[in-house]
Amino acid sequence: MPQVSVKNKLVESAEDVFRRRGFNGASVQDITKAAGVPKGSFYNHFESKQALAAEIVHRYARGADFSMLDGDEPALERLRKHFLAQAERTRGTGVEFGCLLGTFASDSATAGDQVLTAVRQILDTWTDAVARTIEAGQAAGEITSARPAGTLAAFLIDSFEGATLRAKTAGDQSAVAEQLDIALAALRA
Amino acid sequence: MPQVSVKNKLVESAEDVFRRRGFNGASVQDITKAAGVPKGSFYNHFESKQALAAEIVHRYARGADFSMLDGDEPALERLRKHFLAQAERTRGTGVEFGCLLGTFASDSATAGDQVLTAVRQILDTWTDAVARTIEAGQAAGEITSARPAGTLAAFLIDSFEGATLRAKTAGDQSAVAEQLDIALAALRA
C-alpha cells in the first residue's frame, strides 16, 4: 500500500517542519521535501496544508503524556510533574522551536478555520484534564476553591505557554521550572 | 522628500500586516500593497523584510504605555493598570491578532537574528520596567521578597502573554483580567 506509506511520511515529517517554521513559514514543498516524496503527491493525501496542519495538531496532542495528572500524590505535585514532562518534551524537539501548540495558536489568525478549530479543541482538552486534577486538589483542601478549577487550569497552562514562548526566544529553558513553581504556589489553599 | 514619505508609509502599514499575518505570513508584496507603494521601492528603504520587522518591534515597544508603572499607588495596583492598558491596546488592534511582540516571539525561530535580537531587547526592557515597580512593592513590604524582582516580572509578563495567546485563539479577551488577578495575587507578601 504505497499510498499509505506516502501519507505516513508526510505526517511524520510535517510535525517537525511546522514546529521549526510555523504554519505560515512551512510550504507544501518544504513538507514534501522533508518527507522525501514528490510534491505532486501531497494533494493525493491532503486537501490542503490546513488539513494536514489540523491533523498534526491532534497528533501532537496524542503524543502528550497526561498520565502524571492521575495518581495518589498530592494534586500540586502531579501538576508539577505533568508540566515538567511537557517542558522535557519541548527540550527534546528544540527549545528554540517552542511548543507546537503555542506556535499554531500564534499562527491561528492566518492558518484558517480548520487549524483554529483544532487548536481550540486541544487547548480545551488540555484545560479540562488539568482542571480535573485541580478539582481533586480542591476536594482535598490542598488547592484554593476561591476560583473554578477551569479558571485555575487555564492560568497554569497559559503561564506555562508564556514561559515556554520566552524560552523559545532565549534558546534557554532554565527559567521555566521556577515560573511553574510560582504559578503552582498561586493555587495553594 | 518623497523617499521619507515612502519609508513612513511602509513602516505605518507594516505593523498591521505583521500583526495580522505574522512574520512568515507577511510578504514584502503584502507590505508594499498595504502601503500603496511600488513593490520595487521596498529595497530602497530596507535591506530586507527582517530589517523592517526589527524596526517594527522597536516601534511597537515605543508605543507601549509604561507611565502607569510609576506613581504613588500601591505597586500591585500600578502593575494591574499597566497590564490592563496593554490588554486594551491589543483589543484596539484586534484580539484575534494578539500581541505583536508575542507573535514575533513565536516566529523568532525563522525570522532571523535581527528580529530575534529586537524581540529579546524589548522583552528585557519590559521585564526591567516591571521589575522596578516590583522592587518598590518589595521595599514597601507589599510584594514577596522570596524571589528576585526580575523573576517575578518575567512570571507576570509570561502569564499575561500566555493568556493573550489563548485569547487570540478564542477571539475573546474576557478571561485575561481574571488571569492577571491570579498572577498578581501570587506576588503578594
Side-chain angles (χ1 to χ4, degrees):
Chain A
M1 291 169 71
Q3 282 204 322
V4 173
S5 170
V6 168
K7 185 172 186 181
N8 280 352
K9 280 183 188 171
L10 286 166
V11 169
E12 289 291 335
S13 303
E15 180 170 320
D16 200 50
V17 175
F18 280 128
R19 177 183 295 109
R20 287 167 180 265
R21 305 193 56 81
F23 177 81
N24 290 311
S27 67
V28 167
Q29 191 166 0
D30 291 333
I31 295 164
T32 52
K33 191 177 169 192
V37 303
K39 186 179 177 187
S41 65
F42 183 90
Y43 294 98
N44 295 334
H45 302 283
F46 297 97
E47 66 177 18
S48 63
K49 188 174 78 165
Q50 285 83 345
L52 172 57
E55 182 158 330
I56 293 295
V57 172
H58 285 286
R59 181 177 186 267
Y60 179 71
R62 285 193 300 272
D65 186 351
F66 287 79
S67 67
M68 292 166 196
L69 290 174
D70 301 316
D72 297 328
E73 285 185 299
L76 288 171
E77 186 56 21
R78 284 186 262 157
L79 292 163
R80 200 177 69 84
K81 286 185 176 169
H82 168 70
F83 283 102
L84 288 180
Q86 294 302 116
E88 177 71 33
R89 186 186 188 196
T90 299
R91 184 156 61 246
T93 52
V95 169
E96 70 274 35
F97 304 122
C99 163
L100 186 65
L101 183 63
T103 299
F104 276 124
S106 183
D107 285 347
S108 64
T110 45
D113 281 348
Q114 279 179 287
V115 176
L116 181 57
T117 299
V119 168
R120 285 177 178 166
Q121 283 175 345
I122 298 309
L123 256 183
D124 286 349
T125 301
W126 191 10
T127 306
D128 289 348
V130 169
R132 280 193 295 276
T133 302
I134 291 176
E135 277 169 15
Q138 288 175 321
E142 184 194 356
I143 292 178
T144 175
S145 294
R147 296 180 197 269
T151 301
L152 296 175
F155 167 74
L156 268 190
I157 289 172
D158 295 353
S159 298
F160 179 75
E161 284 294 325
T164 300
L165 183 57
R166 183 189 292 257
K168 180 176 184 172
T169 69
D172 174 4
Q173 203 187 34
S174 57
V176 171
E178 186 169 13
Q179 302 263 27
L180 177 62
D181 282 343
I182 300 173
L184 287 171
L187 269 58
R188 280 215 183 93
Chain B
M1 290 169 72
Q3 282 203 323
V4 173
S5 170
V6 168
K7 185 172 185 181
N8 280 352
K9 281 183 188 172
L10 286 166
V11 169
E12 290 290 336
S13 303
E15 180 171 319
D16 200 49
V17 175
F18 280 129
R19 177 184 295 110
R20 287 167 180 264
R21 305 193 57 82
F23 177 81
N24 289 311
S27 67
V28 167
Q29 191 165 1
D30 290 334
I31 295 165
T32 53
K33 191 177 168 191
V37 304
K39 185 177 177 187
S41 65
F42 183 89
Y43 294 98
N44 296 333
H45 302 283
F46 297 98
E47 65 178 19
S48 62
K49 187 173 78 164
Q50 284 84 343
L52 172 57
E55 183 159 329
I56 292 295
V57 171
H58 286 285
R59 182 177 185 266
Y60 179 71
R62 284 193 300 274
D65 186 351
F66 288 77
S67 66
M68 292 166 196
L69 291 174
D70 301 315
D72 298 328
E73 284 184 300
L76 288 171
E77 186 56 21
R78 283 186 263 157
L79 291 164
R80 200 177 69 85
K81 286 185 176 170
H82 168 69
F83 283 102
L84 288 179
Q86 293 303 116
E88 177 71 34
R89 186 186 188 195
T90 299
R91 185 157 61 247
T93 52
V95 169
E96 70 274 34
F97 304 122
C99 163
L100 186 65
L101 184 63
T103 298
F104 275 125
S106 183
D107 285 347
S108 64
T110 45
D113 281 348
Q114 279 179 289
V115 176
L116 181 58
T117 300
V119 168
R120 285 177 178 166
Q121 283 176 345
I122 297 310
L123 255 182
D124 286 349
T125 302
W126 191 11
T127 305
D128 289 348
V130 169
R132 281 193 296 275
T133 302
I134 290 175
E135 277 168 14
Q138 289 175 322
E142 183 194 357
I143 291 178
T144 175
S145 294
R147 297 180 196 269
T151 300
L152 297 175
F155 166 73
L156 268 191
I157 289 172
D158 295 353
S159 299
F160 179 76
E161 284 294 325
T164 300
L165 183 57
R166 183 189 291 257
K168 180 176 183 171
T169 69
D172 174 4
Q173 203 187 34
S174 56
V176 170
E178 186 169 12
Q179 302 263 27
L180 177 62
D181 282 343
I182 300 172
L184 287 170
L187 268 60
R188 279 213 185 95

